[in-house]
Amino acid sequence: MAKLSSNPYRTLSSLPLIKVIRPIHRCVPASVNRSLSTSSQHRRPSNVGNVGMAGKEAVIGKQAYEPLTIDGIKTRRAKAGKLVAGTAAYSDSDMFKSPQAFDKPKAKRWDHLLSQESIAREACVLKQAAKHLKKPGLISLGGGLPSADNFPIDSLSMRVPAPPQFTGGETLEAHVGKYDVLKNENGGVYDLSIALNYGQSIGSAQLLRWVTEHTELVHRNIPYADWRCALTIGSTGSLEQALRMFCDRARGDSVLTEEYSFSTALETVAPLGIKVFGVRMDEQGLLPDKMDEMLSTWDEQAKGARKPTVLYTVPSGQNPTGATQGVQRRRDIYDVCRKHDIFILEDEPYYFLQMQPYTGPNAPEVPPPATIEEFLGGLIPSLLTMDVDGRVMRMDSFSKVIVPGSRLGWITASEQVVERYIRHAECCSQGPSGLSQILLYKLVDETWGHEGYLQWVMHLRLEYTRRRNTILAACEKYLPSDLVSWVPPAAGMFLWLKVDHTKHPQAATKSILEIEEDIFKSCIDKGVLAIRGSWFRAERDVAPRELFFRTTFAAASEDDMARAIERFGAAVKESFAGSG
């Protein structure tokens, strides 16, 4: 294979350059000019994510006023012109947001909640040095950006299912080469020479644009102006950084969450020396009145921690319970957080897996949404859309709707919070994988586009609806209804089974944990793995009040799901019958 020994693009790609060029002739109302511009024709972005590097290297034409629809985004892009963003180009969401987003008040500041670690973090000095690259004729011997000539990957191709059906074998192909931008090939916006080199901790400009547009499309009318997005290495990574930003062991900080919570999240908190307190739940998840009562009567001495200042919650298809907060429940939770000045970490990996209503084993199914607009209109509004203060950091992920191995997601929060997040990322992870970014960009932007991506999640939610209905039919057939109960999940991939331990013949002499362990061991012996509910308790030092098992309908075949539920039912019956 011929070696690309002399490539002018290698020099260009080392510059932190991002431009979106279009004619500046559209009339913009004066009120918007005040929000968008710090000069007569171009808005100079603030230094979120790149102190000292934004300057003149980051230039963008004003986004046109268009409806917050897929067609509106297409029109905005056409008027904005081609995106040019070389290696390690700085960008931020303000470059890609609609003008409508800026005509609102700014978020509150959260200095009083930030940890000492977060406050102490400063911009990466090596990244600050790059500001000198704008000097004409300067030869850089400073930055450690390898030459793309030495990258051993020249091109990548992938075949993906074609929207809107995604079935029947019809596929689309996506290709990316090393120097597509220089050659104006394969879209000419993002290539391997850029993606495989070092980048900004906020993520690539190319994928950040898509994420920002997607956020406006789904969460229309975010109540404050200065919201931003930043790419992440998945929700677990963003949670760990967020906890370090807002929680301080030396202050005796603590976190609130559901009484049964994502076990990995709990295991992320524990080594930080931060105490976790669980809030009682019902079929819609966290109970706001119980949360308010807990906070209003907080006793630091008795609890061994300060009154919590952070809430971690999974509002849709909560892991492990499968509970989904309704719109009023979310509003009530947000109001309690405002009352007690709680910052909210909204973890939403299952948001688009809001399924069709469960109507029963033999009842007719509810017709699915016929259009993307109908689908988006039927989603439960996010906490982000209710956030008048900027007290929510929303965490999204491609893991549950595309592939978990991408380790790629994004956060949405106020400018201050995103800036602090990036300060952490610069020295901890340096941002998400370039390979993941370019593959996801090629899929969701260039190949599917916003329309195809939303059609994909509409398709996916119907797959999960079918799977959920399969496991529920098996439960109704094989589980003893006098001993095991459940609430059909409205979102996600988990079914939470409650076992009535009070009817166990040894309930008076055996603890809930002992009965749970007996059933768990019997399940393993019979060839089924159902996860013990106690493993998800937020407060491990508090004895459980009830007995649960978590099951999932995400991966097993329909036949295997039925067999697994039958085996689980046999284990429960054996435990209750064989212990007398």
Side-chain angles (χ1 to χ4, degrees):
M1 184 176 294
K3 183 178 184 296
L4 298 173
S5 57
S6 178
N7 186 354
Y9 184 63
R10 182 179 62 197
T11 303
L12 290 172
S13 67
S14 67
L15 298 177
L17 175 66
I18 170 172
K19 290 186 179 180
V20 178
I21 304 170
R22 68 176 179 88
I24 306 297
H25 62 264
R26 182 177 177 86
C27 256
V28 180
S31 63
V32 176
N33 261 328
R34 287 196 297 271
S35 299
L36 290 177
S37 298
T38 56
S39 63
S40 59
Q41 291 193 335
H42 294 291
R43 180 182 186 278
R44 185 187 294 248
S46 66
N47 285 330
V48 171
N50 205 342
V51 172
M53 286 184 66
K56 295 181 180 178
E57 281 74 41
V59 181
I60 188 168
K62 289 185 177 72
Q63 296 286 315
Y65 266 95
E66 297 293 340
L68 296 179
T69 62
I70 291 172
D71 287 340
I73 289 171
K74 290 178 181 178
T75 303
R76 269 170 45 199
R77 282 201 182 194
K79 291 179 178 179
K82 185 177 180 179
L83 170 64
V84 179
T87 301
Y90 165 75
S91 64
D92 65 46
S93 289
D94 280 4
M95 299 174 179
F96 311 120
K97 285 156 64 173
S98 68
Q100 299 95 305
F102 295 94
D103 195 19
K104 297 170 184 176
K106 286 194 171 185
K108 291 184 176 182
R109 291 189 62 84
W110 306 104
D111 306 75
H112 63 293
L113 298 184
L114 292 173
S115 67
Q116 287 302 309
E117 176 188 354
S118 183
I119 293 170
R121 288 193 180 274
E122 298 180 355
C124 175
V125 293
L126 292 178
K127 292 184 184 296
Q128 289 188 77
K131 65 185 178 183
H132 300 293
L133 291 174
K134 65 186 178 183
K135 182 178 180 180
L138 182 141
I139 300 172
S140 174
L141 299 178
L145 298 173
S147 166
D149 286 353
N150 295 322
F151 297 166
I153 303 174
D154 287 328
S155 65
L156 294 171
S157 299
M158 62 180 177
R159 185 178 291 115
V160 299
Q165 300 301 323
F166 304 99
T167 56
E170 185 180 356
T171 61
L172 300 173
E173 291 190 358
H175 305 278
V176 59
K178 188 183 288 186
Y179 298 113
D180 287 345
V181 174
L182 176 69
K183 299 175 181 178
N184 198 26
E185 295 177 349
N186 298 320
V189 173
Y190 197 18
D191 62 25
L192 292 175
S193 74
I194 299 169
L196 299 185
N197 218 316
Y198 287 110
Q200 293 294 324
S201 299
I202 198 171
S204 67
Q206 294 85 349
L207 189 55
L208 183 66
R209 174 174 66 171
W210 184 91
V211 162
T212 302
E213 293 168 346
H214 171 82
T215 298
E216 280 201 292
L217 189 60
V218 175
H219 311 283
R220 295 172 186 177
N221 298 315
I222 296 173
Y224 63 94
D226 53 331
W227 59 269
R228 301 279 179 93
C229 297
L231 301 185
T232 70
I233 53 174
S235 291
T236 303
S238 56
L239 173 62
E240 193 267 348
Q241 283 191 202
L243 290 168
R244 289 170 61 182
M245 286 167 56
F246 286 100
C247 297
D248 196 324
R249 174 188 295 192
R251 293 191 309 211
D253 285 349
S254 62
V255 173
L256 285 181
T257 188
E258 292 88 351
E259 63 178 323
Y260 290 93
S261 187
F262 179 36
S263 57
T264 301
L266 299 174
E267 290 157 359
T268 301
V269 178
L272 300 177
I274 308 300
K275 294 196 71 172
V276 180
F277 296 93
V279 181
R280 294 279 292 272
M281 305 173 68
D282 65 5
E283 67 278 0
Q284 283 194 50
L286 188 151
L287 287 162
D289 58 336
K290 297 295 184 183
M291 179 179 168
D292 186 27
E293 178 184 354
M294 177 184 291
L295 292 169
S296 298
T297 59
W298 193 265
D299 184 332
E300 289 191 9
Q301 186 171 1
K303 296 286 190 179
R306 291 174 66 216
K307 183 178 175 179
T309 55
V310 172
L311 168 67
Y312 169 73
T313 183
V314 182
S316 306
Q318 197 254 0
N319 185 0
T321 67
T324 296
Q325 299 168 8
V327 60
Q328 189 57 51
R329 177 64 60 89
R330 298 181 193 215
R331 290 193 182 110
D332 292 343
I333 290 170
Y334 185 81
D335 287 344
V336 173
C337 288
R338 292 193 79 192
K339 175 181 176 181
H340 295 278
D341 199 20
I342 303 291
F343 195 89
I344 303 170
L345 304 179
E346 179 187 21
D347 191 2
E348 279 284 32
Y350 314 107
Y351 186 71
F352 285 116
L353 300 184
Q354 296 181 39
M355 295 172 283
Q356 291 294 100
Y358 181 67
T359 56
N362 300 311
E365 296 181 354
V366 176
T371 65
I372 289 174
E373 284 299 313
E374 185 182 348
F375 165 63
L376 292 176
L379 294 172
I380 300 172
S382 63
L383 288 168
L384 181 67
T385 63
M386 305 172 185
D387 186 17
V388 295
D389 296 334
R391 68 172 63 249
V392 173
M393 176 194 282
R394 180 182 168 90
M395 297 179 282
D396 281 281
S397 174
F398 288 114
S399 292
K400 301 302 189 295
V401 292
I402 301 292
V403 288
S406 67
R407 304 317 308 140
L408 187 60
W410 68 95
I411 60 164
T412 307
S414 70
E415 177 178 352
Q416 180 196 19
V417 172
V418 170
E419 188 272 338
R420 288 292 89 193
Y421 183 91
I422 295 166
R423 295 286 83 79
H424 281 250
E426 280 178 344
C427 298
C428 297
S429 68
Q430 294 205 19
S433 159
L435 269 175
S436 291
Q437 290 188 69
I438 198 163
L439 289 177
L440 266 295
Y441 168 81
K442 285 289 178 178
L443 175 62
V444 301
D445 191 301
E446 288 191 357
T447 305
W448 282 351
H450 289 291
E451 183 175 19
Y453 177 74
L454 291 173
Q455 288 170 337
W456 168 254
V457 293
M458 290 171 68
H459 162 78
L460 196 62
R461 72 187 288 272
L462 293 181
E463 287 294 303
Y464 275 90
T465 298
R466 179 180 58 80
R467 286 179 160 276
R468 176 205 61 187
N469 294 348
T470 296
I471 200 170
L472 289 176
C475 289
E476 289 162 357
K477 182 176 181 179
Y478 295 115
L479 298 186
S481 58
D482 59 326
L483 300 177
V484 184
S485 60
W486 57 90
V487 175
M493 54 180 59
F494 301 111
L495 177 62
W496 190 237
L497 299 174
K498 179 181 178 180
V499 179
D500 189 352
H501 67 282
T502 64
K503 296 181 179 179
H504 195 278
Q506 292 185 321
T509 58
K510 279 191 171 183
S511 69
I512 290 176
L513 293 177
E514 289 172 327
I515 297 172
E516 179 193 63
E517 184 175 13
D518 289 343
I519 296 173
F520 178 76
K521 289 180 177 178
S522 180
C523 284
I524 298 299
D525 290 341
K526 295 181 185 305
V528 60
L529 177 62
I531 304 300
R532 298 172 62 169
S534 64
W535 291 353
F536 301 96
R537 287 180 299 148
E539 298 180 55
R540 300 288 177 87
D541 56 342
V542 177
R545 297 176 293 105
E546 297 172 305
L547 197 164
F548 296 99
F549 281 88
R550 191 197 75 173
T551 60
T552 179
F553 45 91
S557 68
E558 294 188 22
D559 288 343
D560 282 348
M561 271 194 280
R563 280 193 290 269
I565 291 298
E566 183 178 12
R567 292 169 184 176
F568 177 79
V572 171
K573 293 174 187 176
E574 182 180 276
S575 175
F576 277 70
S579 301

